[in-house]
């Protein structure tokens, strides 16, 4: 089974990201809240051999998902649904 990698750049310009310390801290908090809100989904994906990584880059957040082709499609749909419906 082939391994697939999905990369998504999440860009935000309404909090002066990444030009201030406050915006960097906001990005770190946002990543932590996203990880917490998708913890169960991430655990299930981990059991299926799917890896997830969110990295704070100088001008965006980089979301990287990788795993076997058959399970990754459903996980990507579920993850982005959770991302779209996340509330603070």
């Amino acid at each position: 089974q082939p391994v697939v990698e999905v990369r998504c750049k999440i860009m935000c310009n309404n909090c002066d990201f990444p030009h201030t310390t406050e915006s960097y801290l906001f990005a770190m908090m946002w990543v932590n809240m996203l990880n917490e809100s998708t913890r169960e989904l991430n655990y299930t994906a981990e059991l299926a051999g799917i890896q997830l990584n969110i990295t704070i880059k100088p001008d965006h957040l980089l979301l990287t998902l990788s795993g076997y082709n058959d399970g990754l499609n459903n996980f990507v749909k579920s993850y982005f649904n959770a991302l779209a419906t996340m509330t603070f």
Side-chain angles (χ1 to χ4, degrees):
Q1 293 180 350
V3 175
V4 177
E5 182 173 276
V6 176
R7 291 183 180 199
C8 176
K9 286 184 179 181
I10 302 173
M11 302 180 82
C12 176
N13 62 2
N14 65 348
C15 63
D16 203 24
F17 182 77
H19 303 292
T20 65
T21 303
E22 292 85 3
S23 65
Y24 184 78
L25 291 173
F26 174 77
M28 288 175 52
M29 289 179 4
W30 189 86
V31 168
N32 288 334
M33 288 188 289
L34 177 62
N35 286 335
E36 181 60 29
S37 69
T38 58
R39 183 170 29 113
E40 291 180 23
L41 184 62
N42 294 344
Y43 176 72
T44 305
E46 225 176 272
L47 294 176
I50 297 171
Q51 290 84 36
L52 166 74
N53 187 28
I54 302 174
T55 309
I56 299 174
K57 296 291 187 176
D59 62 343
H60 63 277
L61 300 174
L62 179 62
L63 173 65
T64 307
L65 306 157
S66 61
Y68 294 111
N69 191 22
D70 57 347
L72 189 62
N73 187 33
N74 291 332
F75 178 69
V76 168
K77 288 178 187 177
S78 298
Y79 191 83
F80 280 98
N81 185 43
L83 178 63
T85 59
M86 188 176 83
T87 58
F88 298 101

